[in-house]
Amino acid sequence: MSTLGYRALAINGSARKGGNTARLLDRVLEGLRKEGFHTELVELGGTVLRGCTACRSCFKNKNRRCVIETDSLNEILAKMIASDALIIGSPTYFADVTSETKALIDRAGYVARANDNLFHRKVGAAVVMMRRAGAIHAFDTINHFFLIEGMYVAGSTYWNLGIGREIGEVEKDSEALATMDALSANIAHLVKCLKR
Ligand SMILES: Cc1cc2nc3c(=O)[nH]c(=O)nc-3n(C[C@H](O)[C@H](O)[C@H](O)COP(=O)(O)O)c2cc1C
């Protein structure tokens, strides 16, 4: 398989586009591009993504879509299905992920499970920003999603966290940037092993 066949999608669940979480995700994607991946960053900030309504239509319809068509979930879900690696990033909000990130996980995750596990054996990585505390809980929330979907979770030299509050502050967190670089290398290695 040519390296051009590798696809990585990063989703930024921050309410603000182009912030610290976006910067960390960019760093991971930069590394993956050097490894020959086609990459894309989707930012949820500025769009309204509602939560799952528990209608279970996805289990009845089995058409790889959420029945709610009034937001961008299905467009993002199609990109997730087409990717080998999914990197989900969120800032810590009250010691957990943002509402946008949770809405994505619940709806994309339910549709995936209703359709023979669409994310099965893809590679997943969580990336989380925080100002002071609570990031590990948010990190766990994202990893719970990957693990119930039968995905392989890539690690790094530390948990994939960055520290900072104002936009751009994470650039001063050199350990976070190094952690993102090692994460890229591990995602690339895992995807290439799996697709060999
Ligand atoms: C509503 C809200 C809740 C937050 N809760 C926490 C928190 O529990 N712990 C923490 O360390 N930082 C918290 N923060 C700070 C953000 O995680 C931090 O500013 C981060 O850099 C934002 O990332 P972004 O630039 O990608 O939006 C919170 C910020 C907001 C807006």
Side-chain angles (χ1 to χ4, degrees):
M1 148 87 54
S2 138
T3 52
L4 292 173
Y6 303 131
R7 302 183 78 85
L9 176 71
I11 302 173
N12 179 16
S14 174
R16 56 181 186 187
K17 285 186 182 175
N20 293 315
T21 312
R23 179 63 197 111
L24 291 180
L25 293 172
D26 272 337
R27 183 86 175 204
V28 177
L29 295 182
E30 274 164 38
L32 287 171
R33 280 193 293 276
K34 286 183 198 146
E35 296 272 359
F37 278 61
H38 176 274
T39 67
E40 185 174 354
L41 172 68
V42 169
E43 301 210 65
L44 303 183
T47 55
V48 178
L49 207 59
R50 66 146 301 128
C52 177
T53 58
C55 67
R56 289 185 57 87
S57 296
C58 50
F59 279 86
K60 201 170 57 198
N61 297 338
K62 294 189 188 294
N63 63 354
R64 299 181 165 212
R65 296 182 76 82
C66 175
V67 76
I68 302 167
E69 297 281 1
T70 47
D71 60 26
S72 56
L73 188 276
N74 283 322
E75 199 185 313
I76 299 167
L77 176 57
K79 293 178 186 205
M80 294 170 82
I81 294 167
S83 299
D84 303 301
L86 296 177
I87 305 112
I88 298 184
S90 177
T92 305
Y93 279 11
F94 288 88
D96 213 322
V97 296
T98 63
S99 312
E100 290 85 347
T101 308
K102 193 63 167 71
L104 173 91
I105 286 174
D106 292 349
R107 286 173 60 199
Y110 223 40
V111 174
R113 292 172 65 72
N115 288 272
D116 272 341
N117 299 318
L118 297 170
F119 304 142
H120 189 228
R121 297 189 177 158
K122 292 184 187 294
V123 173
V127 168
V128 175
M129 267 306 301
M130 71 170 168
R131 180 189 73 80
R132 189 173 179 85
I136 282 292
H137 189 241
F139 185 72
D140 291 347
T141 294
I142 300 170
N143 283 328
H144 289 150
F145 163 66
F146 293 144
L147 293 170
I148 199 172
E149 299 289 342
M151 294 172 64
Y152 298 117
V153 174
S156 182
T157 46
Y158 200 84
W159 300 295
N160 315 322
L161 314 176
I163 294 178
R165 174 158 56 185
E166 303 311 327
I167 289 180
E169 228 176 283
V170 73
E171 294 291 351
K172 294 187 219 141
D173 184 355
S174 56
E175 189 174 353
L177 300 181
T179 303
M180 297 307 128
D181 292 343
L183 178 62
S184 279
N186 289 341
I187 293 170
H189 179 80
L190 199 45
V191 169
K192 288 175 186 181
C193 286
L194 289 168
K195 294 196 85 177
R196 198 155 39 198

